[in-house]
Amino acid sequence: MKHQQANPSTSDKNHEGSQLSRRNFLKMGFGALGALALLEVGGASLLFMKPRSLEGEFGGLVTAGPVDSFPSGSVVEFPDGRFFLVRSSEGGFLAAYRRCTHLGCPVNWEAEQNRFFCPCHASSFDQHGDVENPPAPRALDTFPVQIKDEQVIVDTSRGQSRETFRQEQLVFA
Ligand code: FES
């Protein structure tokens, strides 16, 4: 019986061919993965480099609304801007940073008690942000307020610390 023997040179060539194609395939695969990784890194870098607008949120200018939409004696919270817009009984505006001056917990406005209250260690502040009950050592910080075209605008990029409330901190239209 005659055994058919594979031609070693043909077999080697076939083997070489399959190895080559596997090598090429792997190369292409790694190339594609590399390109994808580059795209991802490049995309992330572009996103990172893109200037981020903070308008309307904490760290930027927040347009609170028209002057007339805030009645005298009102307190309105702006969670995205992290402040409370206070309109005093005299009609002046003040933006109080919601961060407690003790250890930085966010304070809440309690309308029925007419006070800001810190749930962490029970400090409380009056409507102007003055300390009523320690351990908070000083009044709530504020942000500059400006009135432009009858709109109340708060600059949350510049916190202002203060010991107590003073009348000249109020901004009038
Ligand atoms: S953090 Fe507000 S009372 Fe301590």
Side-chain angles (χ1 to χ4, degrees):
M1 197 172 162
K2 200 174 176 188
H3 290 285
Q4 208 171 8
Q5 257 193 342
N7 181 345
S9 61
T10 313
S11 160
D12 276 357
K13 271 185 195 158
N14 283 344
H15 183 69
E16 226 170 76
S18 76
Q19 277 229 324
L20 267 181
S21 66
R22 196 179 313 145
R23 210 176 294 146
N24 281 344
F25 178 77
L26 283 176
K27 264 191 202 168
M28 278 167 50
F30 283 127
L33 278 178
L36 270 177
L38 269 178
L39 270 177
E40 196 159 312
V41 169
S45 309
L46 279 178
L47 271 180
F48 183 72
M49 288 190 305
K50 188 176 156 217
R52 187 162 127 69
S53 167
L54 291 173
E55 202 170 307
E57 59 186 277
F58 183 71
L61 288 180
V62 177
T63 302
V67 169
D68 292 343
S69 61
F70 303 100
S72 294
S74 65
V75 175
V76 179
E77 183 174 10
F78 287 80
D80 290 346
R82 303 186 198 172
F83 67 87
F84 294 89
L85 187 67
V86 175
R87 190 164 195 192
S88 70
S89 49
E90 305 89 0
F93 287 97
L94 181 144
Y97 189 10
R98 72 173 183 195
R99 186 175 182 274
C100 178
T101 52
H102 179 222
L103 293 176
C105 291
V107 300
N108 303 312
W109 171 246
E110 295 182 340
E112 54 301 336
Q113 312 275 346
N114 204 36
R115 68 174 187 182
F116 295 101
F117 182 74
C118 178
C120 291
H121 312 97
S123 284
S124 66
F125 307 81
D126 70 11
Q127 191 190 30
H128 296 118
D130 249 344
V131 179
E132 279 182 338
N133 189 51
R138 56 185 180 77
L140 294 173
D141 294 344
T142 60
F143 294 117
V145 172
Q146 51 176 299
I147 314 281
K148 210 172 162 189
D149 300 327
E150 288 301 304
Q151 294 285 326
V152 184
I153 298 165
V154 178
D155 184 356
T156 61
S157 70
R158 294 191 294 135
Q160 303 165 315
S161 74
R162 57 184 180 154
E163 288 303 312
T164 58
F165 166 70
R166 292 188 319 277
Q167 203 67 22
E168 56 265 32
Q169 291 166 357
L170 294 172
V171 175
F172 289 85

